[in-house]
Amino acid sequence: MSHGARSAFEEVNQKISQAGEILGLKPGVVSAMQKCEREVVISIPLRRGNDLEVLSGYRVQHSSARGPRKGGIRFHQEVDLDEVRALASLMTWKTALIDVPFGGAKGGVAVDASTLSDIEREEIIRRWTRSIHHVLGHQRDIPAPDMGTDARTMAWLMDEFHRLEGFQPACVTGKPVELFGAPGREEATGRGVAMIAASTLEKHDEKVKGARVAIQGFGNVGRFAALACHELGFKVIAISDVTGGVIERSGIDIHEIVNYRNISEIPSYEKISSHEVLEQKCEVLIPAALGGVINAENVDRVKAEYIVEGANQPTTADADKELRGKGTLIVPDILANAGGVMGSYFEWTQNIQQYSWPIDKFRKELDARMSKAFSDVHKESKKHSVDMRTAAFVLAVRRVSSAFALRGELV
Ligand code: NAD
């Protein structure tokens, strides 16, 4: 997806510069925090029928200042080095913001995941792991699922890593519960998004019960965000995926629709296009699919009062500015979708301790720590009189720069 005049990585770096200025950091320190520590680009040959396709794969390690690098791996046709750099950098700021002992990384393979058989998906992730296992590991860099990958993909990654490096279940998170995964991790991102949406309304003295929500995306994030919003009392009025969207102003029966794989298969409810979901009149809009979907082209038609960013970088910088100008409050990705990496942290610690938590403990810890992160960012925004995105970057950049300084690297 296009990010307008600037690339996705340039957009993140612009926010780091702005936070550095507010914090009075030296330009050299800002520039060190913008660069990625290591970038690995690989070729993945894949036999498909009688043909051999060669896919491009990536792992970008942005920062280890606060701990082992952490970040998902994405299978999507639009994956490229710039996008992976941007997403790796966002992970550094996200992990600092929620105060877990990780740095940032991201991986990807440029392939249309919807065209892959299970055998092909397994072959790709095993080759990706074989090519870069020397830079992975539970104290080095820990992958997790993202768009186009899931718990099964993480099980294959772990299995391949074990063959090469020996038993180390904490080398990857988002694994199946039956195979060192943590009950609660799968729903954690969506649950966190819904909780943050509720905290946002409450902070602005608005009622959660009956508040209208529109969601773009019906994968890991969108599906669980819809379920959690429903449980919290929101009314989900529209939802879409790559196959299309549905709308029902009196509220969609979420428990009915989660039984369908694709939105276009749902027989009930009026059909709308996937992008029309973004343009509905509602209290809360949750983009939970691709980046760059709220942009110069459609920003005039976005009518939500609050945008809670379930996806990474769904709002371009230009659209963000215009929305703020008309009074829309945006809760940024690095806060709104941080429940995923928070849940990954819980899974990682359980794997290392070889001790499992019951799901109630997982949910309680997640809810408490997400609500603390929300209140930290809110306080920061009041302190500097800035929007939530700028405040989130200021807080995260302060934590990472002080880790750099304490290590003695950048003084
Ligand atoms: P997923 O692959 O499980 O689901 C993606 C969803 O987006 C699917 O429903 C797909 O149909 C839909 N989609 C794809 N193209 C679309 C289009 N053009 N229009 C409308 N819908 C479209 O991915 P996910 O894990 O849910 O990730 C979604 C977003 O959330 C990504 O930006 C990802 O980086 C971010 N995120 C994911 C996690 C996580 O734990 N999975 C954590 C933090 C952030």
Side-chain angles (χ1 to χ4, degrees):
M1 274 280 164
S2 157
H3 283 262
R6 277 193 287 255
S7 77
F9 188 47
E10 285 166 347
E11 283 206 352
V12 183
N13 281 341
Q14 198 277 330
K15 295 308 293 179
I16 302 168
S17 295
Q18 189 189 6
E21 253 171 59
I22 292 173
L23 293 166
L25 299 178
K26 291 182 194 155
V29 174
V30 171
S31 150
M33 287 190 297
Q34 289 172 327
K35 300 258 166 17
C36 299
E37 285 177 357
R38 184 189 273 144
E39 301 180 349
V40 187
V41 181
I42 56 171
S43 295
I44 303 176
L46 177 71
R47 214 180 300 281
R48 298 186 93 173
N50 289 328
D51 290 331
L52 189 69
E53 254 181 61
V54 184
L55 311 175
S56 296
Y58 307 91
R59 186 70 180 172
V60 172
Q61 298 177 330
H62 176 261
S63 171
S64 59
R66 299 184 80 256
R69 300 93 169 182
K70 185 86 191 78
I73 164 158
R74 175 178 287 196
F75 286 1
H76 192 272
Q77 59 277 19
E78 284 173 20
V79 163
D80 62 18
L81 189 54
D82 184 87
E83 181 184 76
V84 183
R85 282 178 179 148
L87 294 168
S89 177
L90 280 182
M91 287 306 298
T92 299
W93 314 113
K94 200 179 293 186
T95 53
L97 182 67
I98 60 166
D99 209 7
V100 291
F102 289 136
K106 199 80 181 193
V109 178
V111 64
D112 182 353
S114 66
T115 65
L116 295 173
S117 67
D118 277 354
I119 291 171
E120 288 167 342
R121 189 187 306 271
E122 179 175 354
E123 183 57 23
I124 293 171
I125 198 68
R126 285 190 187 278
R127 281 199 178 251
W128 184 88
T129 310
R130 278 207 292 284
S131 300
I132 65 160
H133 66 96
H134 54 290
V135 297
L136 301 178
H138 74 287
Q139 300 294 13
R140 286 189 185 142
D141 179 350
I142 307 126
D146 193 77
M147 278 186 85
T149 60
D150 57 11
R152 189 79 203 279
T153 326
M154 299 306 112
W156 291 321
L157 192 165
M158 185 198 76
D159 184 67
E160 193 64 27
F161 189 84
H162 285 183
R163 287 180 197 200
L164 298 157
E165 302 271 348
F167 181 72
Q168 200 185 105
C171 71
V172 56
T173 57
K175 301 178 292 292
V177 171
E178 304 84 341
L179 199 68
F180 307 104
R185 167 61 185 94
E186 197 187 11
E187 67 177 24
T189 314
R191 182 180 173 90
V193 169
M195 279 216 38
I196 294 282
S199 301
T200 307
L201 290 196
E202 280 158 7
K203 197 51 104 186
H204 292 86
D205 297 324
E206 294 210 26
K207 279 206 188 77
V208 171
K209 190 146 182 52
R212 293 162 300 174
V213 184
I215 303 175
Q216 185 192 51
F218 193 51
N220 176 267
V221 183
R223 215 172 255 266
F224 285 106
L227 275 166
C229 279
H230 180 71
E231 269 167 37
L232 289 169
F234 284 100
K235 188 163 72 177
V236 179
I237 59 155
I239 189 157
S240 72
D241 67 6
V242 71
T243 68
V246 288
I247 184 161
E248 172 51 64
R249 299 227 141 256
S250 62
I252 290 169
D253 181 345
I254 299 301
H255 289 288
E256 181 206 331
I257 69 162
V258 287
N259 297 320
Y260 292 90
R261 202 174 152 77
N262 298 312
I263 295 282
S264 60
E265 292 161 13
I266 301 170
S268 27
Y269 307 125
E270 184 187 332
K271 301 264 188 287
I272 53 175
S273 72
S274 183
H275 61 87
E276 278 175 300
V277 164
L278 302 169
E279 300 165 11
Q280 298 307 314
K281 194 161 170 45
C282 56
E283 278 68 44
V284 181
L285 170 63
I286 300 178
L290 300 173
V293 292
I294 303 173
N295 51 40
E297 194 275 311
N298 65 0
V299 65
D300 288 348
R301 300 192 295 278
V302 174
K303 302 181 198 77
E305 283 177 46
Y306 302 91
I307 297 176
V308 179
E309 295 185 334
N312 285 313
Q313 292 191 299
T315 317
T316 65
D318 295 345
D320 182 282
K321 195 168 163 204
E322 202 164 324
L323 287 164
R324 277 188 283 120
K326 65 177 179 182
T328 313
L329 188 134
I330 305 173
V331 185
D333 45 11
I334 59 170
L335 170 61
N337 67 34
V341 69
M342 183 73 85
S344 278
Y345 168 59
F346 298 158
E347 180 179 333
W348 180 77
T349 54
Q350 291 174 61
N351 288 156
I352 287 171
Q353 294 173 12
Q354 298 193 301
Y355 181 80
S356 305
W357 297 359
I359 191 163
D360 290 353
K361 176 175 162 74
F362 189 111
R363 287 178 173 156
K364 205 167 141 208
E365 292 266 341
L366 180 80
D367 295 356
R369 295 191 64 157
M370 287 303 288
S371 125
K372 166 141 188 357
F374 178 82
S375 125
D376 288 349
V377 174
H378 190 261
K379 275 189 210 137
E380 199 76 29
S381 84
K382 294 286 158 223
K383 182 171 151 194
H384 297 286
S385 304
V386 291
D387 59 283
M388 293 282 278
R389 192 186 311 278
T390 306
F393 272 92
V394 169
L395 181 54
V397 167
R398 187 167 57 231
R399 287 183 179 154
V400 174
S401 62
S402 90
F404 265 129
L406 288 166
R407 282 167 178 267
E409 284 186 17
L410 288 175
V411 281

